[in-house]
Amino acid sequence: MRRATGMLRAVLRNSNHGVATTQRAAALGVVGGQQLRGLQGSSGSGGPQAPQPVPLSKLKDGFLDGTSSTYLEELEERFRVDPSSVDKTWASFFNNLERGVDPEKVAEAYHAFEQGGTMAPLTAAAISNQTIQESMRLLLLLRAYQVNGHFMAKLDPLGLASRPMPKDLDPALYGFEDKDLDREFFVGVWNMKGFLSEDRPVQTLRTVLQRLQDTYCGTIGYEYMHISDRDQCNWLRERIETKDPVVFNKEKKIHILDRLAWSEMFESFLANKYAAAKRFGLEGCETLIPGMKALIDHAADLGVETVCVGMPHRGRLNVLANVVRKPMSQIFKEFTGKPTHAELKSAYGTGDVKYHLGTSYDRPTANGKRVHMSLLANPSHLEAVDPVVLGKVRAKQHYGGDAERMKNMGVLLHGDGAFAGQGVVYETLDMSALPDYTVGGTIHLIVNNQVAFTTDPRKSRSSPYCTDVAKALSCPILHVNGDDVEAVVRACELAAEWRQTWHTDIVVDIVCYRRFGHNEIDEPMFTQPLMYKKIKDHVNPHLQYERKLVAEGTITEGQAKEIRDNVMGILQSQFEAAKEYKPSAKDWLSSYWSGFMGPNQKARIRNTGVSADVLQDVGKAITELPPGFAPHRQIKKLYGQRRAMIEADPNKPNIDWGMAEAMAFGTLLVEGNHVRLSGQDVERGTFSHRHAHVFDQKTGDPYCTLKNVYDGQPKDQFTASNSPLNEFGVLGYELGYALENPNSLVLWEAQFGDFANGAQIIFDQFLSSGEAKWMRQCGLVCLLPHGYDGQGPEHSSGRVERFLQGVDEDPYTMPAIDESKWMSGGHLGGQMQTTNWAVVNCTTPANYFHVLRRQIHRQFRKPLIVMTPKNLLRYPDCKSPLAEFDEVPDDKGIVGVRFKRLIMDEAARDRSPNPPVEEGVKRLIMCSGKVYYDLAKARAEKGLQKEIAIVRLEQLAPFPFDLVMRELRRYPDAQLMWAQEEPLNMGAFHHVSPRIETVMRHEGWKIPPHIPYAGRGPSASPAAGFSSVHADEQKQLVEDALNLNFSGDRLKPHGEGKSAGEYGADIELDSLAAQSPKADQ
């Protein structure tokens, strides 16, 4: 008798002659993936039934069905001749013998099974023969595939990428040999999912390796082992490390093919119709469209109702047409680039190229749901739109009450070069988990061309993948071969499920290629000859998938043709319809914007003042801390001082800057508006002036009075949030937030105004020009601390000149002024609405209060740039009486806005367009900002109040042509001079000069060669680095302005960076001297 027969007898002997019921026998374990059938006992109390002869025809029965020694001997003989000729459960049994499994181990395992154990006897025996070292080595091998298997994934559709296999994926590294391939191993780990799950069957090493390679080295490469959260990793393993490969059913495959046909044929249709046009097509990554559609469908099934999309120009038209469902006739119409006269008359702005435009539509899903899709307009500055999308999503969540962040989702598309190279990508990722910035996870889709314009990845990044930056935020990364549409769909569906489950970001990296160059008329062979030789002969994903489905019998050639014919027919009909398409200027404005006016519509002016009773109530609410709260002693003192400001005589100047701002916020909140303030250190304020959040000194708990202005106030109606330490990302985020709803005051504050240049792209590409390019109004407020007080080059200037340069106002044209409507504000016409943004430099708390409220209390929205003060925050003279905050006008007959675009000299009273002439005034100084206080103080010390008038331009843009005209009429015999703290080549001088000259020309004044100027000379640096030099310069410019013998009319060439004193010495006094502007007319 052979060893096999002896082993079987040992098994039977150690069974204690127990009775195996039919149910128990059926429950015996699994070996080699097949269920084993148990030995049948007799129905009585005797021993097991006598063995019965088994016909040779049944030699392939399972192991425990064999009951005779003859059968076992014959079976073993057949195995030795041909292992495949026997049932694989028997093969497993004989393999165990070959590997030295002790027959006694099998007997013991069988006995344990009979006593109630759950593991199959052969399985248990095999495991008992598996050493601890082997188990550890196998676990290390499994982990190596989980960590590095993606390096061997088949990701490149072109097959150009060749990477050596990581050493830790080689079984030999762990001591496994070829003879171990058919040994069975158990690799279960407690509380682990996937291949390491305890409930997975024992498998041969060969099977384990094959499943690892299928899973981690196929057309999807998974990176997730950098995630520290065990539950998240288990969640992914459970969906990745499946027992069997995921296979789509016939219906889904046909659906995917149809979507892929639309994607590919849309591009080829455009290529045929507009061969010479740039369109930045999707050729080479056509699978993106079915992937995105599957993502949105699956997200909708999981509760998503709105999706905001941000993307670069490549593939944008395809996404607009096939994902967002923008009418194709409209897209075809935009290719003509020729709006009709009626369209030009009804719309406004300069427009933008078609592959920058956005839109918004409701999209039906495959399962009958509807999702509102918004694709944001964007510039060519790659990735700049990323934070804008997130801000818009967060706003949707706020206004929609989506506290769980399940209904509103963001999807961002990227290029491989941009995702790795643009810093704003990390700035955007960094906000993903911050309480006041999170959107509950964003899905990132990378169209990985494997080339950035003309730059090879080896020269554009230092990391293996373009996605490696996302690892810092523990984002799962799914690399997928862009030619495998089913893999792309699966990855996108998994991304949607991850986002809805874990509410964190996830990245899908679609590795593809770009069939043409950077655009359709570019020649890529100049720089990537080998790649484009390969691309030239490469079959597109649509044709590949169609052939695959035909070959496997999912569809016929005729059905494939039907799909193509249907798509082509609709494309052609939409092309014909484009000839009659008439776009609407507001075809993608949200309902929140209903009733707001465009530049060509006249808007109503509202009073920004507030009743005295409301001011009192709000003032008391924002200065009251809860009982038992233990504030810092200085905070307690501050809040006491603010309460005193409210209770003091309303006609005396008591309200300081910080209190005025809090009053503006509080009154807007009482009126039902949402207020959001964001930026670096805004909760306290850079200069410790705001203290919107105060902290209990015993518990550390915060308290915000502006969240408790009135009973029942929603806690999220007011938000003041310290932002991460960046400008680009956060400003973009707040801009996106402000775009969603006009009935909110959204503010971003720079730590110092100098730092705003870190966000210059947002200012230039979105804020100043967004309405002109994309017909999108935005009321975002930017607070930029500005003022020269000796803090050096990086803490003095908000660079007001840059914002003024961006103003689209004609400096040489005097606006039409209807003086009969002067008191109602109607004399301005549409000046405020036609200018792209407003730039102000307020000098009083009351004016700051009113300009903030003005943002909400008008029927249109414009960005507002505020040069906010620093040392004026506590300057004794920089206070306003409470009476200036109410709704009662300063002059009888004035209606509407209380913000003063220009503040008259302290001695002037008449606000009419033709005030009485002020006799004896020899010089009219115009200035803006903090320098006024230096000038006014020095003028008072010199007793020159009757000879020198000082007028403050609080609003620099739109320029107050009308009010400057009034002041020229008030002081017809005075010499006009501009004074500023900033160097000559900075500040407002070059902005105001031509506009002042336009007013002078309108009023018949003689135009000097240059507007007389008192201030610092030209300088490369915004300010001096030495406080003593700053003090000397400041003193000199004030003396020059108040020196009636200093004309300041012409400048000699001089050295860079001269002080105001040196600058004044270079001025020739041969032009106007002190004569009257009208003296020789």
Side-chain angles (χ1 to χ4, degrees), residues 792-1076:
E794 273 71 58
H795 296 88
S796 297
S797 176
R799 295 288 191 171
V800 64
E801 65 277 357
R802 294 181 177 174
F803 298 98
L804 294 174
Q805 185 186 38
V807 174
D808 64 353
E809 177 183 73
D810 185 352
Y812 304 108
T813 300
M814 185 77 176
I817 298 174
D818 185 350
E819 295 184 14
S820 67
K821 299 179 180 178
W822 186 275
M823 292 299 183
S824 67
H827 68 290
L828 293 174
Q831 185 199 16
M832 297 295 291
Q833 289 171 258
T834 56
T835 306
N836 60 326
W837 61 11
V839 181
V840 302
N841 194 1
C842 301
T843 58
T844 72
N847 228 21
Y848 180 51
F849 170 89
H850 287 293
V851 79
L852 291 180
R853 288 181 52 79
R854 187 182 72 170
Q855 281 297 97
I856 297 296
H857 287 277
R858 54 185 182 184
Q859 291 176 297
F860 59 94
R861 293 290 178 263
K862 298 286 179 179
L864 173 64
I865 310 299
V866 184
M867 297 291 142
T868 56
K870 293 179 291 181
N871 65 0
L872 292 187
L873 297 172
R874 296 176 181 81
Y875 192 69
D877 293 339
C878 186
K879 293 184 178 180
S880 300
L882 187 61
E884 290 191 4
F885 293 73
D886 63 28
E887 79 276 37
V888 181
D890 294 338
D891 288 86
K892 186 177 181 180
I894 289 183
V895 178
V897 176
R898 297 212 60 205
F899 170 69
K900 297 178 175 64
R901 294 173 291 135
L902 179 149
I903 296 181
M904 304 179 299
D905 183 77
E906 60 184 21
R909 294 291 180 269
D910 195 305
R911 298 179 186 278
S912 68
N914 292 286
V917 172
E918 297 286 343
E919 304 289 347
V921 175
K922 298 177 181 178
R923 175 169 289 171
L924 169 60
I925 298 176
M926 289 190 174
C927 63
S928 185
K930 179 186 77 69
V931 71
Y932 163 77
Y933 289 96
D934 294 336
L935 293 169
K937 181 180 179 181
R939 181 183 65 171
E941 291 172 351
K942 295 176 181 291
L944 296 173
Q945 293 93 326
K946 293 185 178 180
E947 296 178 81
I948 298 176
I950 305 176
V951 170
R952 288 171 269 177
L953 269 63
E954 300 283 284
Q955 179 172 291
L956 294 165
F959 189 76
F961 287 96
D962 55 325
L963 301 183
V964 171
M965 178 187 74
R966 181 189 67 191
E967 297 310 304
L968 294 187
R969 292 175 179 179
R970 195 191 307 274
Y971 307 106
D973 300 322
Q975 179 207 31
L976 188 150
M977 177 176 285
W978 178 261
Q980 68 177 35
E981 297 180 302
E982 301 86 355
L984 175 65
N985 56 316
M986 303 177 193
F989 178 64
H990 292 288
H991 172 80
V992 301
S993 290
R995 290 164 173 81
I996 291 174
E997 291 176 4
T998 296
V999 180
M1000 294 173 74
R1001 191 176 297 109
H1002 180 269
E1003 292 299 299
W1005 282 45
K1006 179 180 178 180
I1007 309 299
H1010 304 281
I1011 296 295
Y1013 170 88
R1016 291 175 168 83
S1019 174
S1021 174
F1026 299 99
S1027 57
S1028 59
V1029 174
H1030 159 78
D1032 291 342
E1033 291 177 348
Q1034 195 78 2
K1035 180 180 178 182
Q1036 186 64 53
L1037 75 86
V1038 171
E1039 288 184 359
D1040 289 347
L1042 299 178
N1043 181 0
L1044 294 174
N1045 293 317
F1046 172 80
S1047 68
D1049 65 318
R1050 288 180 61 188
L1051 311 178
K1052 288 181 178 179
H1054 47 69
E1056 179 184 43
K1058 289 193 176 185
S1059 69
E1062 295 172 304
Y1063 173 74
D1066 286 337
I1067 295 179
E1068 296 181 1
L1069 305 177
D1070 60 355
S1071 180
L1072 297 180
Q1075 57 185 300
S1076 163

Side-chain angles (χ1 to χ4, degrees), residues 43 79 211 440 489 495 514 536 554 662 751 794 814 868 922:
S43 59
F79 171 77
R211 287 298 294 124
V489 167
R514 194 180 59 199
K536 183 178 180 181
T554 301
Q751 192 176 68
E794 273 71 58
M814 185 77 176
T868 56
K922 298 177 181 178

Side-chain angles (χ1 to χ4, degrees), residues 399-450:
Y399 296 114
D402 184 15
E404 300 299 321
R405 317 206 185 284
M406 291 289 290
K407 299 178 181 178
N408 301 273
M409 182 178 76
V411 176
L412 294 177
L413 277 71
H414 314 267
D416 51 321
F419 196 80
Q422 292 290 309
V424 71
V425 171
Y426 180 79
E427 293 183 15
T428 303
L429 289 169
D430 186 47
M431 291 187 279
S432 62
L434 302 182
D436 291 322
Y437 300 89
T438 182
V439 295
T442 300
I443 298 176
H444 302 266
L445 303 177
I446 298 178
V447 177
N448 188 341
N449 301 321
Q450 305 185 76

Side-chain angles (χ1 to χ4, degrees), residues 747-807:
L747 309 96
W748 174 76
E749 182 176 67
Q751 192 176 68
F752 285 86
D754 312 63
F755 301 161
N757 56 14
Q760 199 65 46
I761 288 175
I762 297 296
F763 283 117
D764 291 347
Q765 315 311 132
F766 289 89
L767 205 56
S768 69
S769 58
E771 184 178 7
K773 293 189 294 187
W774 308 317
M775 295 184 290
R776 271 297 194 246
Q777 291 188 19
C778 176
L780 181 65
V781 178
C782 297
L783 307 178
L784 310 180
H786 172 87
Y788 283 62
D789 43 25
Q791 293 194 51
E794 273 71 58
H795 296 88
S796 297
S797 176
R799 295 288 191 171
V800 64
E801 65 277 357
R802 294 181 177 174
F803 298 98
L804 294 174
Q805 185 186 38
V807 174

Side-chain angles (χ1 to χ4, degrees), residues 232-303:
Q232 291 182 353
C233 289
N234 266 336
W235 186 93
L236 284 166
R237 274 190 285 265
E238 192 171 22
R239 287 153 180 79
I240 294 169
E241 298 178 352
T242 56
K243 292 182 180 179
D244 301 302
V246 176
V247 178
F248 292 149
N249 61 33
K250 178 179 179 179
E251 181 183 5
K252 186 161 187 175
K253 288 181 177 181
I254 295 174
H255 195 201
I256 291 172
L257 177 63
D258 181 73
R259 288 175 162 181
L260 188 55
W262 274 104
S263 177
E264 186 271 325
M265 295 180 69
F266 175 81
E267 297 293 352
S268 61
F269 187 85
L270 291 180
N272 290 331
K273 297 293 184 181
Y274 310 100
K278 287 184 183 180
R279 53 185 172 82
F280 296 95
L282 197 57
E283 289 95 337
C285 193
E286 294 92 339
T287 53
L288 170 70
I289 300 303
M292 281 191 74
K293 287 185 164 187
L295 184 159
I296 293 164
D297 289 348
H298 198 46
D301 292 339
L302 297 172

Side-chain angles (χ1 to χ4, degrees), residues 714-730:
K715 294 304 179 184
D716 60 351
Q717 188 187 9
F718 174 79
T719 300
S721 180
N722 291 340
S723 75
L725 198 65
N726 71 69
E727 291 78 34
F728 190 168
V730 176

Side-chain angles (χ1 to χ4, degrees), residues 348-362:
Y348 63 90
T350 58
D352 201 352
V353 293
K354 52 192 167 291
Y355 41 81
H356 286 174
L357 301 176
T359 195
S360 178
Y361 283 97
D362 285 337

